[in-house]
Amino acid sequence: MDLFTIKDGKKLRCGYTTGSCAAAAAKAAAVMVLTGKRVDAVALTTPKGEVLHLQPEEISFGPGTVTCAIRKESGDDPDITDGILVFATVEKIEQGYVISGGPGIGKVTKPGLACAVGEWAINPVPRRMIEEALQAAAKACGYDGGLKLTLSIPGGEILAQKTFNPRLGIVGGLSVLGTSGIVDPMSEQALVDTIHTEMDSRRAAGKTHLLAFFGNYGVDFSRDTLGIDVSQRVTISNYVGEMLDYAVYKDFSDVLLIGHIGKLIKVAQGIMNTHSRYADGRTTLLALEAVFAGASRELAHQIYDSLTTDEAVRLLDEAHLLTPVMEAVCQKIEHYMEARTHGAIRTGAVVFSNVYGVLGYTSQAKDLLAVHQKGEVR
């Protein structure tokens, strides 16, 4: 592709989604089954308005069917589906357009996703793109009958194990995704959409208590040290604000956020995206609270100059100031979480360090933690 975007001062190449691959493969296979002639290139207009010119691969003609594939191109996005082949097999039927999945395409087993339980994991926008592609092929060939499409992705079952699909209840393969048809490299919106999808799944399953982690550190600590069931968790990366907003929108009763001090110290300053590109201030607040708790100017400078929050915690612990400082930090975390949710739901946070264990709880955190320790995860 010759479509680019600028991120962090770098020029990055865009790609195209599995949905675009499926639609393009469907269009090419449909033209071939209707004309009996080989198609070496196919044009596809994406929902974003970009026109893709893609080359079908591994074309095969069968009795009344044609199969071909489009190779996925993720551009500069670190996507495990980059380079996979999305196959489409098309055959004539009397009327209508039937879209089905096959090997390597997942099936939905839990409610709350864009596709209903029991359906193939072909999301609404790609499904519409596919149907429009089949209609365009039929019109171009002067055909007024119906077409049946079967999608497949060789190796999709294995690749799916490296995605969120198993946790979302999508079994047997990958999802056919994409709302714009274009892969925007390292798209933040794509990450937020994934978080929302996880939350949708939990809520649709009747869960009202939301358990959230920044990443694997919190998951491992909570399972091994706090003894809670982490199977129903939502992983939010850096997107605290988006998670809290959506928790209110989806009418969860409460949210418990468990995280390393390096992340939650930012929330204590009202920073709702904890990525370092947006803000830091980790040791700044710890140094300030240390002064309020009686630290000397020299100690405050040492805390401020610490390269890690674990080092700052060590200094506070040695000075017997860790308890009052963490009490102040937890009060600020609670203040900003409640401010973000406008008090609509209960919020709690547990702050930990890999070296020092639990450092503090917000006022409601222990009650919420007890719910998950008892397995009361409705």
Side-chain angles (χ1 to χ4, degrees):
M1 285 188 64
D2 57 359
L3 182 63
F4 295 86
T5 187
I6 304 298
K7 292 284 180 69
D8 298 329
K10 297 179 181 179
K11 184 179 181 181
L12 300 176
R13 188 165 52 93
C14 296
Y16 43 87
T17 63
T18 48
S20 290
C21 293
K27 185 176 182 180
V31 171
M32 287 187 277
V33 83
L34 294 176
T35 63
K37 298 178 181 179
R38 182 184 178 93
V39 170
D40 294 320
V42 63
L44 179 76
T45 302
T46 67
K48 194 173 183 178
E50 301 290 341
V51 179
L52 303 176
H53 298 277
L54 305 176
Q55 296 180 334
E57 300 183 28
E58 302 200 18
I59 300 169
S60 64
F61 287 78
T65 68
V66 171
T67 299
C68 69
I70 296 292
R71 190 174 297 276
K72 172 75 157 51
E73 170 60 67
S74 299
D76 288 324
D77 193 65
D79 186 346
I80 65 166
T81 63
D82 184 43
I84 65 170
L85 289 172
V86 180
F87 281 83
T89 299
V90 175
E91 60 183 292
K92 296 178 185 179
I93 57 176
E94 287 189 8
Q95 60 182 5
Y97 297 94
V98 177
I99 301 171
S100 182
I105 305 293
K107 263 198 168 182
V108 177
T109 65
K110 294 182 181 179
L113 302 179
C115 305
V117 172
E119 287 188 357
W120 295 100
I122 304 170
N123 274 18
V125 172
R127 186 175 286 273
R128 186 177 71 245
M129 291 172 63
I130 292 166
E131 186 164 341
E132 290 173 352
L134 293 173
Q135 290 172 343
K139 183 178 180 180
C141 297
Y143 174 70
D144 59 5
L147 294 170
K148 179 182 178 181
L149 164 74
T150 303
L151 296 176
S152 61
I153 300 176
E157 303 94 328
I158 297 173
L159 280 178
Q161 299 304 313
K162 302 177 182 179
T163 72
F164 282 101
N165 278 13
R167 284 169 54 185
L168 296 175
I170 299 173
V171 301
L174 294 166
S175 304
V176 180
L177 302 171
T179 55
S180 69
I182 300 297
V183 174
D184 185 13
M186 294 180 282
S187 167
E188 291 193 8
Q189 188 57 51
L191 291 172
V192 173
D193 289 345
T194 299
I195 295 165
H196 287 175
T197 299
E198 280 203 271
M199 294 171 70
D200 287 339
S201 177
R202 302 291 176 266
R203 196 66 187 88
K207 309 302 181 185
T208 60
H209 304 291
L210 184 63
L211 179 63
F213 297 97
F214 293 96
N216 290 332
Y217 282 154
V219 172
D220 294 343
F221 179 83
S222 299
R223 181 187 59 243
D224 300 339
T225 303
L226 300 178
I228 64 176
D229 178 9
V230 297
S231 64
Q232 299 300 312
R233 68 187 181 276
V234 170
T235 304
I236 67 168
S237 183
N238 298 296
Y239 302 99
V240 179
E242 286 83 353
M243 177 272 292
L244 292 173
D245 293 344
Y246 205 65
V248 173
Y249 172 70
K250 296 299 291 186
D251 200 29
F252 281 92
S253 63
D254 51 71
V255 172
L256 178 63
L257 176 59
I258 302 177
H260 189 275
I261 185 174
K263 291 289 188 181
L264 280 171
I265 195 67
K266 298 182 183 183
V267 178
Q269 298 167 84
I271 300 167
M272 290 290 159
N273 185 320
T274 58
H275 196 287
S276 59
R277 79 177 67 174
Y278 294 104
D280 192 356
R282 291 169 297 169
T283 57
T284 304
L285 180 61
L286 291 174
L288 179 63
E289 293 297 343
V291 170
F292 290 159
S296 66
R297 182 171 181 173
E298 179 183 2
L299 176 58
H301 269 293
Q302 290 178 326
I303 294 169
Y304 181 82
D305 291 335
S306 297
L307 295 178
T308 66
T309 49
D310 279 332
E311 173 62 13
V313 168
R314 182 187 68 79
L315 293 169
L316 289 167
D317 188 48
E318 290 178 354
H320 305 291
L321 295 175
L322 184 58
T323 297
V325 166
M326 289 311 304
E327 286 177 353
V329 166
C330 287
Q331 288 174 6
K332 286 180 167 56
I333 293 170
E334 182 170 69
H335 167 77
Y336 284 111
M337 291 181 73
E338 289 186 347
R340 185 69 181 229
T341 59
H342 303 287
I345 61 175
R346 297 176 69 196
T347 62
V350 180
V351 187
F352 74 91
S353 157
N354 291 333
V355 178
Y356 293 90
V358 173
L359 298 176
Y361 302 88
T362 59
S363 68
Q364 301 187 77
K366 288 185 178 180
D367 288 342
L368 298 180
L369 184 62
V371 171
H372 294 279
Q373 286 174 325
K374 294 175 182 177
E376 299 173 8
V377 291
R378 283 197 61 80

